[in-house]
Amino acid sequence: MSHLLDDPLPEGMFSPPEEAIIVFARTSTWMQPISDEIYKRLAEHFDTKQIMEISFTVGLDQLVSRFHATVRTDLDGITTEATNACAVRMPDLPEG
């Protein structure tokens, strides 16, 4: 998880299909346009149905994450520990 935000991704750490998914998910999560190059990399490893499933899964995760951020869901200790170990840090909430 600690290298998911590296750009470029570390060579040889992920398989080419994994890299294509990571780049797609990262780009989509940051609400940037999916370029023809990103789509082409996905299409090298996945058919149209699989790309739709990847897109839906990434989008659903974004929806759930944004919901929890909006309602400020309390996290249990195990989840907090795992979240703090992630490369994408939780934002500090204002007091009050």
Side-chain angles (χ1 to χ4, degrees), residues 30-89:
W30 290 337
M31 293 188 222
Q32 298 172 343
I34 302 302
S35 67
D36 290 344
E37 179 61 31
I38 292 171
Y39 189 87
K40 179 182 168 212
R41 287 180 66 193
L42 280 174
E44 289 173 1
H45 307 286
F46 305 102
D47 62 30
T48 301
K49 181 180 177 193
Q50 290 170 316
I51 293 171
M52 290 173 65
E53 290 171 350
I54 291 166
S55 299
F56 182 79
T57 301
V58 170
L60 182 60
D61 181 68
Q62 292 168 3
L63 173 91
V64 170
S65 295
R66 285 181 175 82
F67 171 81
H68 286 294
T70 300
V71 299
R72 297 181 178 177
T73 304
D74 289 332
L75 303 176
D76 61 66
I78 293 170
T79 305
T80 299
E81 200 172 294
T83 302
N84 289 336
C86 182
V88 180
R89 306 287 294 158

Side-chain angles (χ1 to χ4, degrees), residues 20-32:
I21 292 172
I22 292 167
V23 170
F24 169 79
R26 186 170 59 194
T27 303
S28 177
T29 299
W30 290 337
M31 293 188 222
Q32 298 172 343

